[in-house]
Amino acid sequence: MTTLQRLMTATALALCPVLPAQAADLIVGFTLDADTLDPANHRKRETETVIRNLYDGLLTRDANMVVVPEIAESMTQVSPTVYDFKIRSGIKFHDGTEMTAEDVKFTLDRVTVEGAMGDGQTSPRQSLMGPVASVEVLDGTTVRINLKEPWPILPAMLPNQQIVSKAFIERVGTAGLATQVNGTGPFKLAEWRKGDAIIMERFEDYYGGATDIPPVGKACVDRVIFKIIPESASRVAALLAGDVHIINELPTFSIAQVKATGTTDVMTVNGTRSFFIAMNMEGEIFDDPKVRQAAAHAIDRDLIIDRILDGNAARIDGILSPDAFGASDLPDIAYDPEKARALLAEAGFPDGIDITMDAESAFKDTAEAVASLLTKVGIRTTVAVGESAQLTEKWRTAGKPKSGDMYFTSWGNGSLDPFDIFTPTHRSNDRGNSAGYANPALDALLDAAAVELDVDKRAGLYREAELIINADLPYVYLWVPQDIYGVSKRLSGWQPSADSRINLHDACVN
Amino acid sequence: MSLGKLIERLLQLVPVLLGVSLIAFVMMALTPGDPVQIMIGDQVVTPEQEAQLRHGLGLDQPVPVRFFIFLGNALQGDFGESFYHRRPVADVIAERLPATIELSLVALIVALATAIPLGVLAAIRKNSLLDRMATIGSLLGVSLPGFWFGILLIMLFAVHLQILPVSGRIGYSSEIVPITGFLLIDTLLRGNLSAFWDALRHILLPAITLGLPMAAILMRVTRTSMLEVLRQDYVTFADAKGLSRRRVLFRHALKNALIPTVSVAAIETGSLLGGNMIVETVFGWPGLGRLVVESIFLRNYPLVQAAVLFYAVTYVMLNFFADILYTVLNPRVKL
């Protein structure tokens, strides 16, 4: 063969069509690789999304964020600080051994007890378990959690913990658990190609999962593959090319393209992340409530949601998402540039003010739009794009004096309970209180709500707190964007869930 | 080169590496951003729990102490544990390294295979249509952003023509048991031709994206150097002797013309290893570059520190090999 002939043969071979993935493979084009597969040793949402298909928890959430029993059969609150969990029998780990109440206790101890994770380390997930004092096994099938003080959100936080096998960890050690899996979840680990893909196989002895989330039984697909594609344009291309069946974080500008193909579609779900602009109340400009009101009235949130977010967000007038516990209708802070100008003049700035707004590069477009609206009423705003780590240090260090003017930011609320968004962003001197807001009356309400067990009373306390911040406006409350997924039309049995997890137990590929 | 010289060159590595470690460490420590805050993210945490986390990562020590702990451990081959992966940094880097090296080498082959023939042809047929096309092509190659070019290739070959995959290193139907970590070699060693083909199809687009800008530079270098050589008296003499054109070009001219190409290629290979973060991100290539970029944003100090050291060693070694190659190609050059 001449060189040319060889080249042509090679090219012809290269042009052979791509072998389609096996019909029973479900491939997810996912933004990030898991850091580790040890359920107790990470702090990342994406890592948990992967782990959740391999491991089950005592409790879980359905796609509508309702907390339901999974490995637990039932939950009983014995007293304000004592919860009992009856454990289902006949649940097997991937290695075939039976899961027991001892494994549940071991799992929870590993997360909550200082130095108990292994090698003398404390789990970085300890704070997610709040004031847990101890865990005990009452009889063979009941596990009791004792709290140091009432903590009404324990059931909402328990889906964050996945049950591990005591015997397995004793065998492989904490180091081994980072890359090996012996869970009770619908899929077992087949291979982890680091940085490339996590390949899982159906677990044939699966007990079926939460009885409240039908269908109950084994997983539908033979294999699930989380394929790591960090770049959004490439993720979209992989979906369009048919290489993957689900992609997360579909950019709004690609929605039309994905809808137009006939083979792919877009799915959305209300997210849990509230966006807002912190106004530095420790500074000399925004300590005046009139200036803060002026800023709030200057921003046309509907316009930005419509034009930049392509309609995929819900407006908020307080910190809580409309789906969160305790959320209620609040007085509307309407777009009113005239009023904004008047308020600014009343505050002693008839000629306007010059300020800087910090924002991460991912939100530069939106921040620029906000800045131009602010500038129109006389709050002449320059956007300063910074890197996340640097802005976090500048704005989110508890007790450190604030130095900037405005900070375009957000806070996630995966449990949809006000406790883990309202308290950190609004309580005096808390880590996430970027506005430097300090209101003892609000602090008292938040503290009371944190331990109030009566559901209606608790919702009432948060309603009162929302009314206070809606009037005080330490932040301009903006919106809660939707999570957007691109999916293949061959996919069925799956819907996105607000906590950004991708649970694939019931998903099928046709 | 004598053994003494070789050892001398290797010893020169020591101060370089010390300096690089110190600079990298100080720069990371001075950059704003706190790994503990990043790790906690949007979570409720008590000050005690925060302190506990900081202690667990060893960040409660002053910076100079941390540096000496790092240095002491590094001398024993221990680069610490990655904050996020919670495994030894050396393991995490070792997992990613083969993918990066493999991609860089294939990109280098793409670059050389394009640049040398085109450069030579452009020089021989100076000012011809081919020469002009090659010049325009190389200008484009140098100026096209890799990110954009990569996406274009994906749109064409993966989405529209559907003949190549969008991303990844190999498909999921072939199981790979690593021998060397280089898939193209491993699949061949195992005699699994379909897996080899699969791996080749995956590496093609990223290697072209990464290799073309380098090809553009190398082509310019080869062309210029070839033109210069072709003007030399000994080439005219060889022609006058009646040697065949082919013999004159390849035996006499090309060998000398390639000297600058080799040294530029060696230096550029260092940049390939370090500079393929963007290509790895676009093509979901599970290499080191992407890992390092992610680690910088997350302030994953131990991993960044070890990776910087690794890059420094590679760069110095590549230059060293370029020098040796130089002496081989041109015996008049002494180190």
Side-chain angles (χ1 to χ4, degrees):
Chain A
M1 254 196 312
T2 66
T3 317
L4 186 71
Q5 275 171 326
R6 262 188 232 129
L7 233 135
M8 284 179 71
T9 319
T11 317
L13 275 169
L15 296 185
C16 285
V18 179
L19 283 175
Q22 291 166 29
D25 278 357
L26 194 170
I27 308 183
V28 181
F30 198 55
T31 37
L32 275 182
D33 196 7
D35 285 338
T36 167
L37 295 178
D38 180 348
N41 203 359
H42 70 94
R43 283 297 293 217
K44 221 187 265 154
R45 201 169 47 101
E46 286 84 356
T47 298
E48 190 170 349
T49 294
V50 170
I51 286 178
R52 254 294 174 169
N53 286 288
L54 299 160
Y55 285 93
D56 278 357
L58 264 187
L59 307 178
T60 189
R61 296 190 201 96
D62 67 11
N64 300 314
M65 295 293 282
V66 180
V67 174
V68 295
E70 194 166 41
I71 280 176
E73 197 170 270
S74 60
M75 177 186 81
T76 322
Q77 188 174 0
V78 181
S79 78
T81 56
V82 178
Y83 289 77
D84 281 355
F85 298 85
K86 180 104 180 129
I87 308 298
R88 283 167 72 155
S89 56
I91 295 182
K92 280 192 177 144
F93 284 112
H94 296 160
D95 65 0
T97 56
E98 190 130 342
M99 191 216 65
T100 65
E102 283 298 333
D103 291 310
V104 177
K105 173 180 160 54
F106 177 80
T107 299
L108 296 176
D109 280 349
R110 200 167 168 256
V111 174
T112 55
V113 177
E114 208 111 308
M117 195 180 64
D119 307 332
Q121 290 182 310
T122 303
S123 167
R125 294 178 81 70
Q126 191 197 38
S127 63
L128 296 175
M129 287 297 285
V132 170
S134 65
V135 180
E136 44 186 326
V137 177
L138 291 191
D139 51 64
T141 58
T142 308
V143 173
R144 169 167 286 183
I145 296 181
N146 299 301
L147 300 173
K148 291 177 199 141
E149 59 189 27
W151 197 51
I153 68 164
L154 176 73
M157 297 303 275
L158 269 176
N160 295 324
Q161 310 300 338
Q162 296 85 36
I163 307 304
V164 294
S165 156
K166 185 180 175 194
F168 184 70
I169 295 183
E170 280 167 358
R171 196 165 76 239
V172 303
T174 297
L177 206 63
T179 53
Q180 299 170 53
V181 172
N182 185 28
T184 58
F187 298 98
K188 50 185 188 178
L189 181 69
E191 193 187 352
W192 183 9
R193 299 182 186 167
K194 312 262 173 23
D196 182 12
I198 299 151
I199 306 171
M200 308 174 188
E201 281 166 2
R202 178 173 50 215
F203 176 39
E204 298 296 344
D205 286 334
Y206 188 52
Y207 66 98
T211 44
D212 293 302
I213 310 176
V216 174
K218 282 188 286 189
C220 177
V221 289
D222 293 338
R223 293 202 303 176
V224 156
I225 296 157
F226 278 86
K227 184 179 170 69
I228 314 307
I229 315 177
E231 166 54 38
S232 13
S234 312
R235 236 172 19 256
V236 173
L239 179 73
L240 298 181
D243 286 5
V244 301
H245 305 104
I246 300 177
I247 59 169
N248 68 334
E249 295 188 20
L250 178 72
T252 48
F253 53 79
S254 297
I255 290 178
Q257 189 187 14
V258 170
K259 278 184 175 166
T261 61
T263 55
T264 54
D265 208 350
V266 173
M267 285 176 107
T268 58
V269 63
N270 289 341
T272 54
R273 177 165 286 276
S274 297
F275 277 75
F276 45 86
I277 302 168
M279 295 175 278
N280 182 2
M281 293 175 66
E282 292 172 5
E284 281 167 12
I285 298 172
F286 290 112
D287 61 341
D288 186 336
K290 288 209 168 80
V291 184
R292 299 200 298 272
Q293 285 167 22
H297 285 293
I299 300 170
D300 188 348
R301 292 169 292 174
D302 291 334
L303 180 78
I304 296 177
I305 291 173
D306 187 44
R307 296 290 164 80
I308 297 181
L309 305 176
D310 213 32
N312 295 293
R315 236 177 77 169
I316 47 174
D317 291 304
I319 188 69
L320 297 180
S321 146
D323 297 331
F325 172 83
S328 55
D329 277 337
L330 296 168
D332 176 24
I333 302 154
Y335 172 57
D336 189 344
E338 283 312 313
K339 189 172 176 182
R341 271 187 215 102
L343 280 164
L344 203 59
E346 269 178 55
F349 301 109
D351 303 326
I353 44 175
D354 293 288
I355 58 142
T356 304
M357 178 161 73
D358 288 325
E360 282 176 38
S361 60
F363 306 110
K364 185 169 178 280
D365 291 353
T366 320
E368 292 281 5
V370 167
S372 74
L373 287 164
L374 287 169
T375 303
K376 265 191 190 161
V377 303
I379 305 175
R380 290 177 295 271
T381 310
T382 314
V383 175
V385 173
E387 184 214 353
S388 157
Q390 170 213 341
L391 292 179
T392 305
E393 177 152 312
K394 179 173 174 185
W395 288 94
R396 284 193 183 177
T397 306
K400 189 178 160 188
K402 310 272 178 257
S403 56
D405 299 321
M406 274 184 156
Y407 176 31
F408 181 95
T409 185
S410 68
W411 196 275
N413 183 210
S415 67
L416 282 179
D417 188 282
F419 175 75
D420 62 358
I421 184 167
F422 215 142
T423 308
T425 54
H426 287 76
R427 203 179 182 290
S428 304
N429 280 323
D430 214 308
R431 199 171 61 88
N433 188 342
S434 320
Y437 180 52
N439 181 344
L442 183 81
D443 292 351
L445 276 175
L446 293 176
D447 289 348
V451 294
E452 176 59 60
L453 292 167
D454 184 294
V455 173
D456 293 335
K457 263 194 207 160
R458 190 160 177 262
L461 290 170
Y462 280 124
R463 159 90 183 155
E464 226 178 295
E466 282 256 89
L467 286 169
I468 291 179
I469 61 162
N470 175 271
D472 275 2
L473 290 177
Y475 301 92
V476 184
Y477 304 101
L478 300 170
W479 49 72
V480 176
Q482 290 181 316
D483 290 345
I484 311 172
Y485 296 83
V487 292
S488 157
K489 284 193 173 163
R490 293 171 56 207
L491 180 79
S492 63
W494 182 78
Q495 67 183 105
S497 99
D499 54 9
S500 308
R501 279 202 200 136
I502 303 177
N503 291 334
L504 296 166
H505 170 216
D506 299 330
C508 298
V509 175
N510 308 315
Chain B
M1 189 167 47
S2 67
L3 191 67
K5 280 275 178 209
L6 196 85
I7 292 170
E8 194 187 314
R9 283 296 295 262
L10 286 174
L11 281 179
Q12 284 172 3
L13 259 177
V14 178
V16 171
L17 294 184
L18 258 179
V20 167
S21 313
L22 183 66
I23 294 170
F25 202 94
V26 171
M27 279 176 74
M28 280 304 275
L30 289 182
T31 314
D34 173 11
V36 176
Q37 294 294 336
I38 299 167
M39 206 175 268
I40 300 169
D42 299 345
Q43 303 284 355
V44 180
V45 69
T46 64
E48 296 78 43
Q49 286 162 338
E50 197 182 318
Q52 170 70 46
L53 204 54
R54 195 174 300 280
H55 174 73
L57 301 177
L59 289 170
D60 49 352
Q61 307 270 5
V63 175
V65 175
R66 267 160 45 200
F67 180 69
F68 284 108
I69 293 177
F70 160 78
L71 209 60
N73 290 338
L75 286 175
Q76 299 166 41
D78 172 11
F79 292 94
E81 199 171 76
S82 161
F83 289 169
Y84 291 86
H85 306 89
R86 299 286 180 131
R87 285 185 293 132
V89 159
D91 290 1
V92 178
I93 290 183
E95 284 158 7
R96 298 292 196 96
L97 200 53
T100 289
I101 296 180
E102 187 171 39
L103 177 58
S104 302
L105 287 182
V106 177
L108 179 68
I109 294 171
V110 168
L112 290 174
T114 329
I116 296 178
L118 274 182
V120 171
L121 273 177
I124 300 172
R125 303 191 192 155
K126 199 182 157 202
N127 293 331
S128 67
L129 183 67
L130 182 117
D131 183 24
R132 273 162 221 219
M133 295 287 283
T135 308
I136 294 171
S138 81
L139 192 68
L140 271 177
V142 177
S143 40
L144 283 183
F147 170 80
W148 183 75
F149 186 56
I151 296 279
L152 277 192
L153 288 180
I154 289 178
M155 289 317 283
L156 179 63
F157 290 102
V159 178
H160 288 291
L161 300 176
Q162 305 222 339
I163 50 176
L164 290 173
V166 174
S167 75
R169 250 186 119 185
I170 195 164
Y172 303 114
S173 26
S174 21
E175 197 164 327
I176 325 146
V177 186
I179 304 171
T180 61
F182 303 115
L183 290 186
L184 289 176
I185 296 175
D186 287 358
T187 47
L188 279 185
L189 287 179
R190 300 241 177 242
N192 189 344
L193 279 182
S194 68
F196 170 77
W197 198 239
D198 193 20
L200 192 63
R201 286 182 44 246
H202 277 82
I203 207 169
L204 214 53
L205 293 185
I208 291 174
T209 311
L210 191 61
L212 275 195
M214 184 171 169
I217 297 170
L218 290 182
M219 196 221 102
R220 303 299 302 158
V221 174
T222 311
R223 179 183 176 272
T224 312
S225 150
M226 191 73 182
L227 277 176
E228 212 164 283
V229 170
L230 288 178
R231 275 197 296 266
Q232 299 286 325
D233 293 343
Y234 71 85
V235 174
T236 319
F237 177 70
D239 272 337
K241 255 196 338 188
L243 292 179
S244 75
R245 186 69 184 154
R246 182 179 280 234
R247 197 173 160 84
V248 173
L249 283 177
F250 292 100
R251 189 68 192 261
H252 296 270
L254 187 60
K255 194 179 164 195
N256 286 306
L258 278 186
I259 296 174
T261 311
V262 165
S263 52
V264 174
I267 294 167
E268 286 289 314
T269 308
S271 326
L272 277 188
L273 276 179
N276 55 10
M277 290 111 178
I278 293 170
V279 173
E280 287 185 2
T281 305
V282 171
F283 290 97
W285 191 260
L288 185 60
R290 209 176 90 202
L291 181 73
V292 172
V293 174
E294 283 164 11
S295 299
I296 291 173
F297 283 125
L298 293 171
R299 302 290 186 269
N300 192 353
Y301 297 152
L303 203 147
V304 175
Q305 188 71 21
V308 167
L309 259 186
F310 167 76
Y311 283 134
V313 174
T314 315
Y315 213 85
V316 173
M317 292 312 283
L318 278 170
N319 274 295
F320 178 50
F321 287 129
D323 287 350
I324 294 178
L325 253 176
Y326 218 91
T327 57
V328 175
L329 282 171
N330 188 351
R332 279 172 304 178
V333 177
K334 292 261 182 318
L335 283 186

